Amino acid sequence: MFKRNLAKFNHAMGFQRSSCWQKVRPDSDLSTKERAPNSSHPVTNETVSEDANYSSWMVDHPSALTSFDQMMKDAKGKKIVVFLDYDGTLSPIVNNPDRAFMSDEVSTPVHACECGELFDRLSHAKLSTRVSKLYPRMRAAVKEVAKYFPTAIISGRSRDKVKGFVQLNNIYYAGSHGMDIMAPPRPVRSSDGNYLTVSLDRKGNDVVFQPAQKFLPAIQKISKELEEAIMKIPGARVENNRFCVSVHFRQVREEDYGTLEEKVKSILKHYPDFRLDWGKKVMEIRPSIEWDKGNALEYLLDTLGLGNCTDVLPVYIGDDRTDEDAFKVIQKRGQGYPIVVTSSPKDTKASYSLYDPSEVLTFLSRLARWRKSSSSSRSLSQVWDCE
């Protein structure tokens, strides 16, 4: 059985776009298993239709890889700042959220439920030798990018958990959808002073910004109540992300969706200061404050001293609905590169697209090489300052 599953997994790791893929409608909590355009399975009318729809959609959201040279031509002489989502962007989405690793050995493009289950079961040690020869390392690519550009990861996960996954010290972390930010120690000019809470970390180095700090006691209570309420629903998981709570249902049977949603909403109705949002196979309980990934992007630019610069190009790469808030901010600024990661057409404010995390890796690697070889390359300290 193990050999058969390993062979199946290796086939899926054919280093083309995966033959098994999970696509999620942006406005739905339910997902359907569909085949990717480059599938090795027999071509059907449905596959041809999907290819046509995706190709048509890409006219308005061209690949950031095929558009790379033009993007960098337009960026020459300007300051690039890189913002990255984590799940589904730097790491594959897997059934067990605690195993969404961005390892030194492999960054796999596999997103499908079936392939995700195999990835969960198979150890990195058994696959690392084969895969590391074929795939560049995602962690190394992010580290290299951060050498040349200010770089931040903005995730729905807790800041500590994302930092534990990424394990890099030369980037900045914003957890809980931007409600827990570790930023450079620079003068703070928050766009939302009503929720301003700034302090140094334990080492006295980085500034920590936590606009939802007053909600922590309620978040702890909600998390505990949710765990007790859903413990009898097979596959349901509660993840306390410090300033928000995630209820994962990727492994929940479809017939239990309604029961799970009802239990979550019955608890939430006792907490009017919180709201329910939907992501990919996850329900997010968050404080009802005007703060999201878009605000986090603006805050980080501001604390980097780049908020008012007219020659700054934010690059934001993300795959989920919560990333749309950041795309909107870049769109409003009138300059920058909002890039959505998706294998299917979707409504988005992004201007460019990447198909999966493997294309994200390629894009980041090319970005680092471009800056490294650019004759106009400047040091990071110079990049941070407005001229």
Side-chain angles (χ1 to χ4, degrees):
M1 178 64 72
F2 177 83
K3 290 183 178 180
R4 185 162 65 250
N5 284 341
L6 181 58
K8 196 174 184 181
F9 181 82
N10 287 337
H11 175 72
M13 294 285 288
F15 301 97
Q16 301 172 355
R17 287 171 178 173
S18 173
S19 63
C20 52
W21 203 269
Q22 186 172 36
K23 299 199 289 187
V24 181
R25 298 191 300 274
D27 297 320
S28 173
D29 55 300
L30 302 180
S31 61
T32 57
K33 295 180 182 177
E34 301 176 4
R35 300 298 179 183
N38 287 353
S39 173
S40 60
H41 290 263
V43 176
T44 65
N45 290 336
E46 182 179 358
T47 303
V48 173
S49 177
E50 289 174 4
D51 283 350
N53 289 338
Y54 191 78
S55 297
S56 176
W57 176 83
M58 287 190 69
V59 172
D60 294 322
H61 308 89
S63 166
L65 294 180
T66 58
S67 306
F68 184 84
D69 290 341
Q70 184 60 49
M71 292 167 68
M72 294 305 103
K73 181 179 179 180
D74 295 339
K76 192 170 183 179
K78 298 183 180 180
K79 305 176 181 70
I80 292 177
V81 186
V82 178
F83 299 91
L84 304 165
D85 178 36
Y86 184 76
D87 291 279
T89 300
L90 298 181
S91 166
I93 293 178
V94 293
N95 283 341
N96 185 344
D98 292 330
R99 295 187 61 82
F101 300 123
M102 185 182 72
S103 88
D104 281 323
E105 308 297 345
V106 55
S107 179
T108 169
V110 178
H111 274 233
C113 181
E114 179 182 19
C115 295
E117 290 171 353
L118 288 170
F119 189 79
D120 281 344
R121 291 199 297 268
L122 300 175
S123 70
H124 288 279
K126 292 181 181 296
L127 294 171
S128 61
T129 301
R130 175 178 181 270
V131 175
S132 62
K133 294 178 180 178
L134 298 171
Y135 253 92
R137 296 175 297 177
M138 181 69 86
R139 180 178 286 108
V142 175
K143 184 177 181 179
E144 189 71 7
V145 164
K147 286 171 57 177
Y148 302 105
F149 311 99
T151 302
I153 293 179
I154 305 179
S155 172
R157 302 270 197 157
S158 72
R159 174 168 56 86
D160 289 341
K161 181 167 289 187
V162 174
K163 189 173 183 180
F165 282 148
V166 178
Q167 298 177 16
L168 293 175
N169 294 322
N170 62 335
I171 63 175
Y172 305 106
Y173 297 91
S176 304
H177 301 285
M179 288 184 284
D180 187 10
I181 302 176
M182 180 174 286
R186 283 173 168 260
V188 175
R189 294 173 296 178
S190 170
S191 61
D192 192 351
N194 292 329
Y195 301 107
L196 185 62
T197 303
V198 179
S199 61
L200 296 180
D201 71 353
R202 293 178 181 178
K203 296 181 180 180
N205 296 322
D206 296 318
V207 173
V208 178
F209 176 69
Q210 299 170 335
Q213 194 174 70
K214 70 177 183 179
F215 296 97
L216 277 176
I219 292 171
Q220 298 302 319
K221 290 179 62 178
I222 291 173
S223 180
K224 184 177 180 180
E225 290 178 24
L226 285 170
E227 288 178 353
E228 294 175 353
I230 72 169
M231 61 186 305
K232 294 184 179 179
I233 300 179
R237 297 172 59 91
V238 175
E239 183 180 14
N240 187 333
N241 288 311
R242 194 175 186 192
F243 290 98
C244 65
V245 181
S246 302
V247 180
H248 299 275
F249 56 95
R250 187 166 295 276
Q251 293 178 295
V252 174
R253 297 175 301 182
E254 189 170 343
E255 56 265 33
D256 291 331
Y257 286 172
T259 301
L260 178 61
E261 182 177 351
E262 182 180 342
K263 287 183 178 294
V264 171
K265 288 183 175 180
S266 67
I267 291 175
L268 196 58
K269 69 181 181 181
H270 298 294
Y271 295 90
D273 291 332
F274 289 79
R275 71 177 188 267
L276 177 64
D277 292 324
W278 295 88
K280 292 182 177 179
K281 289 287 189 176
V282 63
M283 288 179 273
E284 301 273 9
I285 293 88
R286 300 160 61 182
S288 296
I289 64 173
E290 293 184 7
W291 195 266
D292 52 38
K293 289 185 175 183
N295 297 113
L297 183 152
E298 291 180 312
Y299 176 88
L300 283 163
L301 285 178
D302 211 22
T303 56
L304 284 165
L306 302 175
N308 295 322
C309 293
T310 58
D311 60 348
V312 170
L313 295 178
V315 174
Y316 189 104
I317 308 177
D319 74 307
D320 211 345
R321 291 174 61 185
T322 57
D323 298 308
E324 293 294 327
D325 296 315
F327 296 158
K328 291 176 186 176
V329 167
I330 296 178
Q331 189 179 67
K332 185 178 179 180
R333 288 177 62 90
Q335 56 181 356
Y337 300 130
I339 304 171
V340 66
V341 183
T342 181
S343 62
S344 61
K346 63 188 295 185
D347 292 331
T348 179
K349 297 295 183 181
S351 301
Y352 299 92
S353 65
L354 292 168
Y355 192 85
D356 57 27
S358 69
E359 290 199 353
V360 174
L361 188 150
T362 301
F363 180 87
L364 294 177
S365 298
R366 289 183 65 181
L367 183 61
R369 289 198 301 269
W370 172 80
R371 173 55 76 186
K372 187 175 182 179
S373 62
S374 174
S375 59
S376 61
S377 178
R378 292 172 289 178
S379 69
L380 195 57
S381 61
Q382 289 176 307
V383 170
W384 278 357
D385 295 324
C386 290
E387 296 177 350

